[in-house]
Amino acid sequence: MVSSSLSSSSSSIKKSWKTRICLDSLPEDLLVEISSCIAASSLSEVRNLRLVSKPFRHICDDGYVLRRLSLQETPLFPWHRDHETFSNFFKRCRKNGNPEALYRKGFIYYFLQNREHKGLKHLAKAAEKGHKEAKYVYGLILICLGGQTKQKGFKILSSVTKPLLSTTIDELLELRYKIEKIREFVWKIIY
């Protein structure tokens, strides 16, 4: 009795090994969701995913995937030869609402190119999408501008961290450190 149940379970295992799911047979919405989850963790993994097949190359260019794409691995300014490709890539990310791309462009406009209005617009969009550094920088700028924007700046800054928690100071210090690194890099370029 025991041996017959073992043999039937082993045959079902063998059958499951024989049944393979082809990625092309999955619905495109599911593939986009899987790709966006990968994109949220690593740009280099999305590059690898693009190499899987033509359909995946197309899916990785989907607006939802570009919106969730992690840009932490990319430099603030390109150092490689193909500046136009880099610029177009970031433009597509911004167009699709990627918070990191919006934040970087806003930072560059405001602090590097003296285009304050455009910079604030991009920083505001990134902050609305929940980008912590953008909220922090945007809130501080609004406070410094004074007038009616001062209260809005305080409100934005208070939303960056969870008040009265022990991690609040650590989170603020981490944000300051990240922004200081970007600021140092920008000042080295200017001077």
Side-chain angles (χ1 to χ4, degrees), residues 6 12 15 38 41 52 59 64 68 103 128 140 146 156:
L6 285 176
S12 66
K15 286 180 184 178
I38 292 169
S41 64
V52 170
I59 286 169
Y64 182 65
R68 293 193 61 199
Y103 166 67
E128 287 170 11
L140 286 177
I156 291 169

Side-chain angles (χ1 to χ4, degrees), residues 50-114:
R50 289 175 61 87
L51 298 174
V52 170
S53 65
K54 284 184 182 180
F56 265 105
R57 191 173 315 128
H58 172 72
I59 286 169
C60 288
D61 288 335
D62 186 85
Y64 182 65
V65 174
L66 291 172
R67 185 177 320 121
R68 293 193 61 199
L69 186 63
S70 171
L71 300 173
Q72 298 298 323
E73 300 170 19
T74 59
L76 186 60
F77 297 101
W79 292 112
H80 48 80
R81 287 174 267 155
D82 199 357
H83 176 73
E84 189 174 337
T85 301
F86 186 86
S87 179
N88 288 337
F89 167 70
F90 261 82
K91 198 179 290 183
R92 282 193 353 247
C93 289
R94 282 193 312 275
K95 181 181 173 189
N96 286 290
N98 184 293
E100 179 68 21
L102 290 167
Y103 166 67
R104 289 180 182 197
K105 191 62 171 183
F107 198 93
I108 290 167
Y109 275 152
Y110 194 87
F111 293 106
L112 190 60
Q113 297 179 349
N114 292 324

